[in-house]
Amino acid sequence: DAMVIQNPRYQVTQFGKPVTLSCSQTLNHNVMYWYQQKSSQAPKLLFHYYDKDFNNEADTPDNFQSRRPNTSFCFLDIRSPGLGDAAMYLCATRIGAGGGKGTQYFGPGTRLTVL
Amino acid sequence: AQSVTQLGSHVSVSEGALVLLRCNYSSSVPPYLFWYVQYPNQGLQLLLKYTSAATLVKGINGFEAEFKKSETSFHLTKPSAHMSDAAEYFCAVSENTGFQKLVFGTGTRLLVSP
């Protein structure tokens, strides 16, 4: 089945130690998104790619970076995780060029714990 | 700017009772509207969406929602709750042009008692 895959599902890191989260998709969608979701809150958009074009949200901290080496893969790098970065990180995709009518498809998420 | 308001952070129903989760939106352009469900430690799963076709939208798991432009509402209903419906539900709005970013409501946790 075509889908959005996130690895790992659970990640534990130490305060200040860089960490990378991975997202892959078999949907061949143009757009990939990264969201941060803290406990009992709605997902908060960090950034997105439309093909190779990167779009950063204005309030996304510089500590968060992203890479999209090809259509299928997108990575979230947290350069120096703080305790406040502990959250669920969600990847989502959307077909571009007006198709799909805005529908985003989400992966299962990666739960990040910072010790 | 678009926004979504979900009334009630928690809704409790008995198994077999009607489920009604409320969502009101604000948008300066015709919107796309979505309901997503999230189970613990899972991603968001699309329940249903409104994209300017029929105003009564049927989704998965017996859920449906009605788009009412005059009331700027998109409430989610299910005639008979099941224990497996217990989850967090998010309403979201997207513009039908541009980046089509999703703006989420704050979510409603549905509790189902036997």
Side-chain angles (χ1 to χ4, degrees):
Chain A
D1 287 340
M3 57 197 314
V4 182
I5 302 161
Q6 291 188 245
N7 287 304
R9 292 294 314 280
Y10 299 89
Q11 176 73 58
V12 179
T13 191
Q14 293 181 336
F15 182 94
K17 183 175 181 181
V19 66
T20 295
L21 309 182
S22 169
C23 177
S24 64
Q25 54 129 341
T26 60
L27 298 161
N28 204 34
H29 283 175
N30 302 93
V31 192
M32 294 187 77
Y33 303 84
W34 279 106
Y35 291 87
Q36 179 192 64
Q37 186 182 27
K38 295 189 175 181
S39 183
S40 300
Q41 295 183 20
K44 177 181 179 297
L45 182 63
L46 295 174
F47 25 59
H48 75 278
Y49 277 92
Y50 195 120
D51 294 326
K52 285 198 170 292
D53 292 334
F54 177 72
N55 297 274
N56 198 36
E57 293 300 295
D59 58 353
T60 298
D62 292 339
N63 198 28
F64 291 85
Q65 304 286 319
S66 185
R67 296 169 283 135
R68 188 179 186 186
N70 53 51
T71 300
S72 301
F73 285 87
C74 195
F75 300 97
L76 170 61
D77 301 308
I78 308 177
R79 294 192 296 188
S80 182
L83 297 179
D85 296 327
M88 174 75 91
Y89 290 87
L90 297 167
C91 176
T93 72
R94 175 175 68 81
I95 192 167
K101 300 194 175 183
T103 307
Q104 294 187 20
Y105 297 90
F106 285 80
T110 294
R111 169 76 64 190
L112 178 68
T113 300
V114 182
L115 301 177
Chain B
Q2 296 175 304
S3 66
V4 174
T5 301
Q6 291 185 239
L7 287 176
S9 59
H10 292 78
V11 170
S12 294
V13 299
S14 298
E15 192 173 20
L18 171 72
V19 176
L20 171 61
L21 305 183
R22 299 179 185 275
C23 173
N24 288 87
Y25 71 92
S26 171
S27 178
S28 58
V29 298
Y32 295 144
L33 292 159
F34 306 86
W35 276 99
Y36 285 90
V37 61
Q38 186 176 34
Y39 299 98
N41 284 314
Q42 296 291 325
L44 276 67
Q45 181 182 7
L46 181 67
L47 271 180
L48 49 79
K49 61 183 179 182
Y50 166 77
T51 56
S52 73
T55 56
L56 181 62
V57 181
K58 294 187 183 299
I60 63 171
N61 301 339
F63 284 93
E64 63 181 37
E66 186 171 9
F67 172 69
K68 292 187 176 180
K69 184 177 179 180
S70 61
E71 299 177 8
T72 61
S73 69
F74 191 57
H75 302 330
L76 182 70
T77 61
K78 181 173 180 177
S80 177
H82 193 272
M83 296 295 289
S84 61
D85 295 327
E88 187 88 20
Y89 291 80
F90 291 97
C91 182
V93 64
S94 166
E95 291 183 349
N96 59 15
T97 59
F99 287 124
Q100 297 184 350
K101 289 192 292 187
L102 282 178
V103 175
F104 287 94
T106 50
T108 298
R109 181 166 297 277
L110 178 65
L111 307 169
V112 182
S113 56

